[in-house]
Amino acid sequence: DSGVTQTPKHLITATGQRVTLRCSPRSGDLSVYWYQQSLDQGLQFLIQYYNGEERAKGNILERFSAQQFPDLHSELNLSSLELGDSALYFCASSVEGDSYNEQFFGPGTRLTVL
Amino acid sequence: KNEVEQSPQNLTAQEGEFITINCSYSVGISALHWLQQHPGGGIVSLFMLSSGKKKHGRLIATINIQEKHSSLHITASHPRDSAVYICAALNDMRFGAGTRLTVKP
C-alpha cells in the first residue's frame, strides 16, 4: 500500500458526460501527478500540482482539467467524454515537486466510456 | 522514436532464472524510475536512480549516466514476478513502453 488513495476504483459512463476522479496523496506529500494509461498509448503524464499550484503540464487535453485543494487532495475533471478517453488514470504523489523525489502511485481509476 | 527504449518487449523465463531488462534513453534525465505493474493494473515504484546501483531483495537496478543506460535484474525469478516492468524518467515525463515478463513454474 503506497498511501495514495484514488476514488472511484471503476467508473462507467457514456460519451459526452463529465466525470471527476479524486486523489489523496500520502501524508506529508505536497505534489500530485496525474497519468493516463490507455491500451495503445502506454503511460502518459497529464499534469502536476505542487502545494495547490500547477507545476507542470503534459499531454492534457483541453477537455480535461485538474486542481489541488488546500488539504492537498486533487481532482481530475474529464468532460465531453469520448470513447478514446477510456483508460486507467493514476495519480502519484511525492514529498516535493522537483526532479529527485520518488513518486508513489495510487491504485488507479479505470474509466470506461461507452 | 521514443526517447526511452526498453528491451525486450516480452520475456518468458523459467522459475529460478536470472532476468535482465534493459532501458536506454537518448536525452539527459534527472532520475530514472523502474515501475512494476501487475495484471490487476496497480503500479508500484521499485526504484528511483540517479547514479550507481540499488538493491531491494531479489531486485537490483543499475544506471550508467554516461552511457544513458539502466538495467533491472531479478535474481531467482518467481512466478509472482510476472508483471509489466516500465522504466520511466518520470520527472522528465518520458516513459518506456514496458517489458512484459512471464515467469513459468
Side-chain angles (χ1 to χ4, degrees), chain A residues 5-13 18-24 32-37 46-47 60 64-69 73-79 81 85-91 107-113:
Chain A
T5 60
Q6 287 187 249
T7 57
K9 201 168 181 178
H10 300 277
L11 197 47
I12 300 173
T13 188
R18 173 190 164 95
V19 298
T20 297
L21 312 184
R22 183 188 169 106
C23 169
S24 292
V32 169
Y33 309 77
W34 285 99
Y35 297 92
Q36 180 194 55
Q37 187 182 40
L46 295 177
I47 197 163
I60 188 164
F64 296 0
S65 65
Q67 54 184 325
Q68 187 180 28
F69 294 86
H73 92 270
S74 178
E75 292 181 358
L76 179 67
N77 300 296
L78 314 176
S79 61
L81 285 167
D85 297 327
S86 295
L88 267 170
Y89 291 84
F90 290 99
C91 83
T109 292
R110 187 176 294 276
L111 173 67
T112 303
V113 182

Side-chain angles (χ1 to χ4, degrees), chain B residues 91-103:
Chain B
N91 296 299
D92 301 277
M93 305 167 203
R94 296 180 172 92
F95 303 89
T99 294
R100 184 174 300 276
L101 171 66
T102 304
V103 181

